[in-house]
Amino acid sequence: MKFFHAADIHLGAEPDKGFPWSKERGREIWDSFRRLIRQVGEEKAGLFLIAGDLFHRQPLMKELKEVNYLFSTIPDTKVVLIAGNHDYLKRESCYRRFSWAENVFCLWGEQEPCVEFPDLGAAVYGISYDRKEITDPLYHHIRPQRRQPLEILLAHGGDRTHIPFDRSVLERSGFSYIALGHIHKPEVLAKDKIAYAGALEPIDKNDLGPHGYIKGVYGNGGIRIEFVPAAVRSYIPLPVKVKESTTQFSLEQALVRLMEEKGRNNLYRILIKGEHAMGTEFDMVRIMKLGNVREAVDQSHTVYDRESLMRQYRGSLIESYVKRFDGRELSATEEKAFVYGMEALMASREE
Ligand SMILES: [Mn+2]
């Protein structure tokens, strides 16, 4: 039997508010989810597990209808979900009064945190959030009840304020597989046994690395899982080193080339390092407008030519400052001190 494990879809999120691609990202998250459901159907999976935060916030009725329609297109797959800290079961949540397609099972469960599928030989357990934060280690107390050969736990959290847990306690709990959600970076905590699927799409600029879902097979040999990358875009850190000869336009050209190489669809976090010439100051507004730049930080330092400084600022405080460092090789620390002092003096001149 094949099963799919996804988490943290965050439907309804519009990442990078205020950036030109924000609305499009919102649509892309929905499209990614649709594609995943199509894949689940094509591979005739027995189970589709969603480990919390299907929605970024409280779901709207019309959104639940859309999601339910999509689930109804894979009637041979049992869909099991829990609510996470983002889409937690508020008292007036639409989740509570929605009537789902026959193949959809929500573990909203106060009394019965388990659903059984004898035809698959599987039982799925889970706990949903009824508030934003839960500090009790609830998963330490839930044990499989040997109802079916395959016993799966759907769990959401793992940090201090979201149902903290000890990996070794979960490992010893007796579940065949623990499908985790909440942490957006995919990670296997115990081989073929405990794993975070990670967010289907990156939801903010700190969600670096690949994103997608987990595909599993359950058979004679037990369980085997693999991570499947599926996100349409990634946030990519882009460090770039400048030198004395670098100009605004040469830097822009280099950045455009780098971003094309790494994929023009991705979103970039540019970090400028190295040294720039005296008088060069990079125009960060222009760099932000190069397209798909999420962030641009300039950490480059000025290279000061001491002789021309003294000539240029004869009779000023700058000349006497530079003179103190003149006529000898500076150590790395002295050079740094000199540059910081120069930057302070230059900044005070501009005021
Ligand atoms: Mn979460």
Side-chain angles (χ1 to χ4, degrees):
M1 193 243 331
K2 272 190 194 174
F3 65 89
F4 281 64
H5 160 202
D8 300 277
I9 325 286
H10 287 269
L11 296 172
E14 281 180 359
D16 301 335
K17 274 241 156 8
F19 285 82
W21 56 80
S22 182
K23 287 259 183 310
E24 187 58 27
R25 282 300 290 151
R27 286 188 283 271
E28 283 170 7
I29 292 171
W30 277 93
D31 288 339
S32 243
F33 185 58
R34 276 170 74 179
R35 249 192 324 274
L36 169 56
I37 288 176
R38 201 179 314 140
Q39 191 64 28
V40 170
E42 271 169 23
E43 301 208 28
K44 299 186 169 41
L47 284 172
F48 179 28
L49 311 165
I50 302 174
D53 288 354
L54 172 58
F55 286 93
H56 188 59
R57 38 147 175 79
Q58 292 298 312
L60 306 175
M61 204 41 113
K62 66 168 186 184
E63 293 173 326
L64 288 182
K65 284 180 186 167
E66 293 295 0
V67 164
N68 191 48
Y69 164 71
L70 295 174
F71 289 157
S72 76
T73 63
I74 50 166
D76 299 330
T77 301
K78 311 288 198 288
V79 182
V80 189
L81 59 138
I82 55 171
N85 58 309
H86 277 268
D87 56 355
Y88 69 100
L89 295 170
K90 234 183 182 162
R91 206 146 49 94
E92 62 275 27
S93 171
C94 294
Y95 265 153
R96 290 190 188 269
R97 52 198 166 90
F98 192 78
S99 78
W100 295 91
E102 274 176 23
N103 62 319
V104 183
F105 303 83
C106 302
L107 295 173
W108 295 163
E110 283 91 48
Q111 284 99 30
E112 189 56 66
C114 174
V115 57
E116 277 183 75
F117 306 110
D119 52 326
L120 299 173
V124 184
Y125 302 70
I127 297 173
S128 283
Y129 282 64
D130 60 357
R131 51 193 187 274
K132 279 185 193 167
E133 294 190 347
I134 301 178
T135 50
D136 298 333
L138 298 178
Y139 300 124
H140 284 181
H141 312 301
I142 178 165
R143 290 274 180 280
Q145 293 153 27
R146 308 270 165 245
R147 295 176 184 225
Q148 296 290 334
L150 177 65
E151 304 213 272
I152 294 174
L153 174 64
L154 280 190
H156 190 92
D159 64 31
R160 198 176 48 80
T161 49
H162 302 99
I163 316 190
F165 61 74
D166 204 285
R167 163 190 320 214
S168 62
V169 175
L170 292 197
E171 258 192 284
R172 281 182 270 113
S173 64
F175 284 103
S176 327
Y177 180 65
I178 301 181
L180 292 171
H182 186 59
I183 304 296
H184 286 188
K185 190 181 162 73
E187 190 188 355
V188 175
L189 300 189
K191 192 178 186 296
D192 294 323
K193 201 170 171 137
I194 307 175
Y196 281 105
L200 182 60
E201 288 280 337
I203 303 302
D204 79 50
K205 65 175 177 147
N206 297 313
D207 289 346
L208 301 173
H211 285 86
Y213 55 86
I214 284 173
K215 201 161 88 178
V217 194
Y218 168 62
N220 300 333
I223 289 175
R224 262 176 306 120
I225 61 164
E226 63 170 319
F227 172 75
V228 182
V232 295
R233 304 202 206 199
S234 305
Y235 290 92
I236 297 183
L238 197 62
V240 57
K241 203 164 175 190
V242 294
K243 38 187 198 205
E244 241 185 299
S245 59
T246 307
T247 69
Q248 177 74 27
F249 290 150
S250 73
L251 174 61
E252 286 181 17
Q253 202 184 357
L255 286 170
V256 167
R257 200 176 305 135
L258 273 171
M259 289 191 283
E260 298 234 320
E261 257 171 47
K262 292 177 185 288
R264 62 171 70 210
N265 214 15
N266 293 318
L267 301 162
Y268 293 93
R269 298 176 60 176
I270 294 169
L271 178 59
I272 302 169
K273 292 186 156 226
E275 295 176 323
H276 60 255
M278 251 171 76
T280 299
E281 201 178 317
F282 300 119
D283 181 345
M284 302 311 275
V285 175
R286 286 189 59 106
I287 288 175
M288 288 300 289
K289 285 182 179 164
L290 289 177
N292 286 10
V293 178
R294 174 59 181 82
E295 179 181 83
V297 178
D298 183 3
Q299 286 183 351
S300 64
H301 284 284
T302 313
V303 181
Y304 290 105
D305 173 2
R306 281 179 269 160
E307 242 166 71
S308 67
L309 273 175
M310 287 197 288
R311 226 177 305 122
Q312 205 174 329
Y313 296 98
R314 187 156 298 155
S316 75
L317 191 59
I318 289 180
E319 189 196 12
S320 45
Y321 176 72
V322 176
K323 259 189 180 152
R324 287 168 159 266
F325 293 87
D326 199 34
R328 60 197 170 92
E329 276 296 299
L330 301 186
S331 71
T333 317
E334 285 172 318
E335 185 65 46
K336 230 181 203 169
F338 172 70
V339 167
Y340 288 145
M342 265 321 294
E343 275 166 2
L345 283 168
M346 291 305 230
S348 70
R349 279 184 76 86
E350 279 162 18
E351 277 163 13

